[in-house]
């Protein structure tokens, strides 16, 4: 689907100067430098099939934003870098002119940079939360062309009753609950009830993932598909390893299954209509295929062919899907929060009956908490629990549902359905609420009462008869990309509170950086780096020809956990001044003391060496 894309920046000023023509249709203009102050700059990318109606709608959306910002001056800046699906220059020029004309018609003081030119510009963007916004303006008549399941259509029409359930068992209608002590739960509740998924501005983690060279949009792919730089690939890989280790400790068997499946397979066709997700589709010879949106299909087809009895239950099976695909709406694709291609740890458990399923459910509930709290180092104040079920299930299982609330020991959001729309009767998620008050599910689990029969999965019971098990669907961490999103959003929140943004030590791309005070001490610094590296600690050396002060400042910008500055005194005494980022102080330690501390803090966590050159002077700059 095509849309008009606008990066909207509330600026103190912008200075720009046309340099050279880029297309044959470039407008005639002078090449003087111009400056505008106190305005909103609209970096605008026109995609194929955009028209004047979309242009006018974009201006109307911008106008409502201008009222909030208390500004009435805009600069329309044609900008071809927000999409790989560009309109032809003639079409793009018509659209930006239509934007300019309509903005003037409704009383906005409007300027436009010349079309078709390479321009040099400088901009100063204001620092408030609404200063940076990203807009996707869709054609009015646009419709989804991808396959849409009946379950997804049902979800869009779904009517729910919302409550807050407290650890003492009291359940209060959500609109009557006193959120005074539970502000994050209030934001989460509002987000779930209002169902406004599209982001109106760029979330903080997008700026951070680029500046820290973790990840970025890949304009050469479909939206919602990302490139991961060496630092990001390292973080992502270690998270994958940690989650997988914990799931195997829990007792799951790891498998691998295909990424594409046949639409016409009888079991799959029925399941597709019961799962609320949009699919990528493709053709191969005489088959219509879809890319998987979870590991369910492959695991279920595998279990269908397996022989097992009640003695092997609960039977646990796991795959780290690299990748799962869902064609989320383009307006909802912002940063790492919601993607179209993602890495999903997917763990199923087959249980003999509801009693066994409920026991297993609690085991997995605690597994998920361990992964979030010990791995991502989130505490229970960093995420909110939602539990969703049918009214009939609640009436028959109140104590069981309350047991989960007691484990988390704080009020939780309840969504109650009068009837069953999906294949599951119970679902819960741990949700992270970000700095734009958008919520995203991390860990989740479901009790599925349909798919064992649909896929012909059976076990042999005590009487020798074949029976269909219940199936639990769990992602113990949620998408790995969302874990990175949550870490960055939480770090930004900590910074806004006056704290220091930081990643968990075991995930930090650089755990220790060694900085020689001058070229004289590079050799000594290299010896220290080599010694630290022997202990499976990620350490690098800033041997660049810049000032020591700038090196220290850039180490802070890189969120390096420990920084060592090495000079004559340190070499002679063996006492190192360690800049401890988390403690926000300089500590005097011997090298072995620092090594012991890092080993203790990262004990039980995966380790991978960095693939970046050890010396900063040899590293490329991936972004900026």
């Amino acid at each position: 689907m095509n849309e008009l894309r606008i990066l909207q920046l509330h600026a103190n000023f912008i200075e720009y100067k046309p340099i050279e023509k880029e297309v044959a249709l470039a407008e005639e203009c002078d090449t003087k430098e111009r400056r505008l102050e106190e305005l909103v700059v609209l970096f605008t990318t026109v995609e194929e099939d955009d028209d004047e109606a979309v242009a006018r709608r974009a201006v109307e959306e911008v106008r409502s934003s201008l009222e909030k910002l208390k500004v009435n001056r805009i600069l329309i800046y044609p900008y071809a870098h927000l999409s790989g699906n560009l309109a032809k220059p003639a079409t793009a020029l018509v659209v930006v002119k239509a934007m300019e004309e309509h903005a003037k018609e409704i009383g906005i003081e409007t300027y436009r940079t010349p079309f078709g030119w390479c321009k040099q510009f400088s901009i100063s963007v204001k620092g408030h939360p609404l200063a940076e916004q990203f807009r996707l303006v869709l054609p009015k008549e646009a419709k989804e062309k991808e396959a849409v399941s009946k379950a997804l259509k049902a979800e869009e029409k779904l009517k729910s009753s919302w409550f807050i359930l407290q650890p003492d068992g009291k359940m209060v209608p959500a609109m009557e609950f006193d959120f005074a002590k539970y502000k994050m739960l209030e934001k989460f509740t509002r987000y779930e009830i209002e169902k406004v998924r599209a982001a109106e501005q760029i979330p903080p983690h997008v700026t951070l993932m680029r500046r820290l060279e973790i990840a970025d949009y890949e304009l050469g792919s479909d939206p919602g598909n990302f490139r991961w730089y060496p630092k990001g690939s390292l973080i992502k890989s270690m998270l994958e390893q940690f989650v997988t280790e914990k799931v195997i400790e829990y007792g799951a068997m790891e498998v691998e299954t295909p990424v594409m499946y046949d639409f016409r397979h009888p079991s799959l066709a029925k399941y597709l209509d019961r799962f609320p997700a949009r699919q990528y589709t493709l053709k191969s010879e005489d088959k219509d295929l879809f890319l998987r949106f979870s590991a369910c299909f492959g695991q279920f087809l595998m279990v269908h062919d397996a022989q097992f009895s009640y003695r092997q239950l609960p039977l646990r099976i796991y795959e780290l899907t690299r990748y799962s695909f869902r064609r989320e709406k383009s307006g909802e694709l912002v940063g790492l929060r919601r993607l179209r291609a993602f890495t999903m740890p997917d763990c199923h458990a087959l249980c003999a009956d509801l009693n066994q399923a409920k026991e297993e459910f609690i085991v997995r509930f605690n597994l998920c908490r361990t992964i979030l709290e010990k791995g991502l180092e989130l505490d229970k104040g960093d995420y909110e629990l939602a539990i969703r079920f049918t009214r009939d299930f609640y009436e028959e299982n109140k104590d069981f549902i309350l047991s989960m609330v007691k484990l988390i020991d704080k009020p939780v959001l309840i969504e109650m359905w009068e009837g069953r729309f999906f294949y599951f009767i119970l679902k819960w998620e741990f949700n992270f609420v970000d700095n734009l008050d958008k919520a995203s599910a991390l860990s989740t689990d479901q009790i599925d009462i349909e798919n064992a029969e649909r896929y012909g999965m059976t076990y042999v019971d005590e009487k020798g008869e074949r029976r269909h098990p219940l199936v639990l669907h769990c992602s113990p961490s949620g998408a790995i990309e969302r874990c990175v999103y949550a870490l960055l959003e939480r770090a930004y929140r900590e910074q806004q509170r006056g704290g220091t943004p930081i990643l968990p030590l075991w995930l930090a791309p650089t755990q220790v950086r060694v900085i020689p005070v001058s070229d004289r001490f590079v050799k000594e610094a290299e010896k220290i780096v080599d010694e630290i590296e022997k202990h499976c600690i990620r350490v690098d050396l800033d041997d660049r020809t810049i000032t020591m002060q700038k090196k220290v400042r850039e180490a802070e910008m890189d969120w390096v956990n420990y920084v060592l500055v090495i000079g004559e005194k340190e070499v002679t005494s063996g006492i190192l001044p360690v800049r401890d980022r988390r403690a926000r102080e300089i500590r005097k330690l011997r090298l072995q003391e620092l090594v012991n501390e890092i080993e203790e803090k990262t004990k039980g966590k995966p380790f991978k060496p960095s693939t970046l050159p050890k010396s900063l002077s040899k590293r490329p700059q991936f972004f900026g």
Side-chain angles (χ1 to χ4, degrees), residues 434-490:
D434 65 23
N435 294 280
L436 300 184
D437 297 342
K438 302 291 185 182
S440 297
L442 298 176
S443 311
T444 184
D445 207 354
Q446 307 165 359
I447 298 180
D448 170 358
I449 64 171
E450 289 185 5
N451 280 302
E453 183 174 356
R454 179 172 294 123
Y455 282 83
M457 294 184 284
T458 60
Y459 71 95
V460 178
D461 70 8
E462 296 93 327
K463 299 178 181 179
E465 297 176 354
R466 290 205 167 271
R467 298 175 60 86
H468 295 297
L470 295 177
V471 182
L472 307 188
H473 299 244
C474 177
S475 180
S477 63
I480 297 297
E481 293 82 359
R482 272 196 183 168
C483 293
V484 179
Y485 142 85
L487 289 171
L488 294 176
E489 288 283 333
R490 186 189 59 173

Side-chain angles (χ1 to χ4, degrees), residues 81-258:
H81 306 294
L82 301 178
S83 172
N85 183 30
L86 299 177
K88 293 179 180 178
T91 301
L93 181 55
V94 168
V95 171
V96 294
K97 281 185 173 180
M99 286 180 64
E100 179 184 21
E101 180 180 345
H102 187 57
K104 289 178 177 177
E105 285 174 355
I106 62 177
I108 300 173
E109 184 182 342
T110 305
Y111 302 85
R112 180 169 63 81
T113 64
F115 181 85
W117 285 78
C118 173
K119 295 175 284 288
Q120 171 185 304
F121 73 91
S122 299
I123 188 169
S124 169
V125 180
K126 293 183 182 289
H128 61 78
L130 297 178
E132 302 177 28
Q133 300 186 48
F134 184 64
R135 298 185 178 280
L136 294 169
V137 186
L138 299 172
K140 189 174 183 179
E141 68 278 6
K143 295 180 180 179
E144 293 288 348
K145 296 181 181 179
E146 66 270 20
V148 179
S149 68
K150 290 179 182 177
L152 188 62
K153 293 174 183 176
E155 185 182 48
E156 291 173 348
K157 299 176 182 178
L158 188 61
K159 300 295 182 184
S160 303
S161 299
W162 300 92
F163 302 90
I164 303 298
L165 180 57
Q166 301 174 110
D168 63 5
K170 186 176 181 181
M171 192 155 76
V172 181
M175 294 300 100
E176 299 175 15
F177 184 74
D178 182 4
F179 288 101
K181 297 180 181 178
Y182 306 99
K183 291 301 181 184
M184 205 61 74
L185 177 60
E186 181 178 23
K187 291 177 180 180
F188 173 52
T189 301
R190 191 182 308 280
Y191 174 82
E192 286 295 307
I193 293 175
E194 293 177 354
K195 296 186 181 298
V196 179
R197 302 300 188 236
E200 295 182 354
Q201 63 190 92
I202 298 173
H205 80 271
V206 172
T207 301
L208 291 175
M209 75 184 187
R210 289 167 156 172
R211 185 175 65 70
L212 295 169
E213 293 191 336
I214 291 173
D216 199 7
Y217 299 101
E218 178 49 75
L219 298 180
S221 183
D222 193 46
N225 290 256
F226 275 71
R227 60 172 64 170
W228 290 83
Y229 300 121
K231 292 178 184 177
S233 179
L234 175 74
I235 294 169
K236 190 166 171 285
S237 177
M238 288 194 296
L239 283 168
E240 293 168 1
Q241 186 176 338
F242 178 79
V243 173
T244 298
E245 287 177 1
K246 291 301 175 187
V247 176
I248 290 172
E249 286 175 15
Y250 148 73
M253 301 173 288
E254 188 174 14
V255 299
E256 184 175 340
T257 61

Side-chain angles (χ1 to χ4, degrees), residues 42 148 168 204 206 314 344 355 385 388 402 411 462 476 507 556 583:
L42 306 175
V148 179
D168 63 5
V206 172
M344 177 69 81
N355 286 333
L385 173 61
R388 309 171 197 271
L402 184 59
E462 296 93 327
L507 287 172
E556 293 174 353

Side-chain angles (χ1 to χ4, degrees), residues 223 227 364 379 581 612:
R227 60 172 64 170
R364 290 148 70 95
D379 61 46
R581 182 174 182 81
L612 285 166

